[in-house]
Amino acid sequence: MSKQLLLETGVALSLLFNPFSQLAEEPTVGTRKQVDNVAHRGASGYAPENTIAAFDLAVDMKADYIEIDVQRSEDGELVLIHDTTVDRTTDGTGHVGDLSFEELRSLDAGSWFGEEFNGEPIPTFEEILDRYHGKIGVLIELKAPEIYPGIEEQVAEALIERNLDKPQNEKIIIQSFNFESMKKMNELLPRVPIGVLTSNRADTTLKALLEFSTYADWVNPSYGIVTEELVGQVHALGMNVGSWTVRSQEAADFLFEMGVDAIITDYPDYVDPRN
Ligand code: G3P
Ligand code: CA
């Protein structure tokens, strides 16, 4: 784990002047560096996002992780959905946090994508942990945690109950665009890797990266702001880079060239062409 690691030793600063020095020893697949293949909201290019259909397909496609978006119902159930309203991806309307779990569960989260997915329900966080842990990694995004007070504790409790908060369970990562939430998550679950999401270049300055390195293990930028220099600096600070959202082969190839550690994609076959 990288937390608190290099700030104190000063090693980070010397590495920052030679950011590519670590790349030679990284594992490879053929001539390419080994990269984690993360199915974004499941294999969401082929099945409705954040549903079991999309997650099962990610498993079939041999992705390394599924990425999930966690929010909360009005009556406190953790559920998986990307937008803070149900309007785009279900047959209902309204804010996720204003609807009871029963109301959310009765919605059809599949047919907007294709009639073969009619009736796919919104999954719960806990059922997805139970169904997939040990089969595929889970990259857990806390979506807009600022509107769900205490969601960090709830997520931590669900992981602890399942013994998923220990170092041997490496394939759980928690990430968010909300950095304060991730600092809190790191305090609650110090052994679980933490990621910070950004599409803002202001979050990629050396000062920002040094701050992230005090609590995060992953810096996860949108691919439009990824450079080799950024990847080298994040690596020099002992963290990894996971970038999103890949929806073309060109974007995947660009990120391979940049030397990122994980590619977050709607199409796992762009990252692992065996599928
Ligand atoms: O995992 C990265 C990505 O999910 C962040 O953006 O909007 O798709 O949740 P978004
Ligand atoms: Ca997400």
Side-chain angles (χ1 to χ4, degrees):
M1 302 288 279
S2 63
K3 293 158 192 169
Q4 301 282 347
L5 184 61
L6 298 171
L7 269 178
E8 292 146 13
T9 64
V11 172
L13 289 172
S14 64
L15 283 170
L16 286 171
F17 293 107
N18 183 15
F20 308 112
S21 61
Q22 296 187 328
L23 297 181
E25 292 172 17
E26 285 167 342
T28 57
V29 178
T31 56
R32 273 182 166 170
K33 173 184 162 181
Q34 186 190 320
V35 169
D36 282 330
N37 187 357
V38 182
H40 179 241
R41 314 178 196 168
S44 60
Y46 302 107
E49 63 185 59
N50 281 310
T51 66
I52 283 176
F55 301 141
D56 278 355
L57 190 54
V59 173
D60 291 348
M61 296 178 84
K62 301 184 179 60
D64 299 298
Y65 287 80
I66 52 172
E67 190 256 3
I68 64 176
D69 295 298
V70 181
Q71 299 190 58
R72 191 169 67 199
S73 71
E74 187 272 333
D75 50 351
E77 186 77 37
L78 298 179
V79 291
L80 304 191
I81 185 166
H82 177 270
D83 299 1
T84 54
T85 69
V86 299
D87 301 31
R88 179 177 62 87
T89 56
T90 77
D91 56 349
T93 57
H95 286 93
V96 176
D98 291 340
L99 298 166
S100 68
F101 176 60
E102 198 181 340
E103 287 170 321
L104 289 168
R105 194 66 153 183
S106 70
L107 300 177
D108 177 351
S111 57
W112 70 276
F113 191 88
E115 63 181 25
E116 66 274 36
F117 299 107
N118 281 358
E120 277 287 331
I122 292 175
T124 70
F125 176 55
E126 298 205 30
E127 77 182 312
I128 263 41
L129 289 180
D130 290 338
R131 185 177 177 101
Y132 296 105
H133 83 73
K135 286 193 188 140
I136 190 168
V138 186
L139 173 58
I140 301 164
E141 180 181 348
L142 302 198
K143 183 56 81 187
E146 59 279 5
I147 62 176
Y148 303 109
I151 195 169
E152 294 86 0
E153 284 85 351
Q154 242 182 304
V155 165
E157 198 178 313
L159 292 171
I160 290 166
E161 270 173 21
R162 291 165 178 79
N163 202 28
L164 292 171
D165 61 321
K166 301 289 194 308
Q168 65 266 31
N169 304 113
E170 279 301 326
K171 290 187 82 175
I172 297 282
I173 303 169
I174 304 176
Q175 64 172 2
S176 184
F177 288 97
N178 184 321
F179 306 149
E180 288 309 310
S181 174
M182 291 303 93
K183 277 188 206 169
K184 184 174 176 184
M185 214 65 248
N186 179 50
E187 282 163 19
L188 291 166
L189 298 177
R191 294 171 171 185
V192 173
I194 297 295
V196 288
L197 283 163
T198 187
S199 54
N200 187 346
R201 282 198 176 82
D203 295 325
T204 63
T205 61
L206 180 53
K207 184 167 181 273
L209 298 179
L210 282 165
E211 162 71 7
F212 293 149
S213 73
T214 64
Y215 62 91
D217 307 273
W218 288 82
V219 174
N220 293 349
S222 53
Y223 73 81
I225 63 170
V226 172
T227 61
E228 267 184 292
E229 185 188 17
L230 173 63
V231 173
Q233 289 182 333
V234 173
H235 286 169
L237 287 166
M239 298 181 287
N240 295 312
V241 178
S243 187
W244 47 277
T245 298
V246 164
R247 298 187 173 105
S248 69
Q249 190 61 59
E250 292 70 27
D253 292 344
F254 167 74
L255 290 174
F256 276 115
E257 263 177 52
M258 293 298 103
V260 302
D261 307 284
I263 296 180
I264 301 168
T265 178
D266 293 356
Y267 300 89
D269 45 322
Y270 292 160
V271 177
D272 182 352
R274 288 175 305 175
N275 296 296

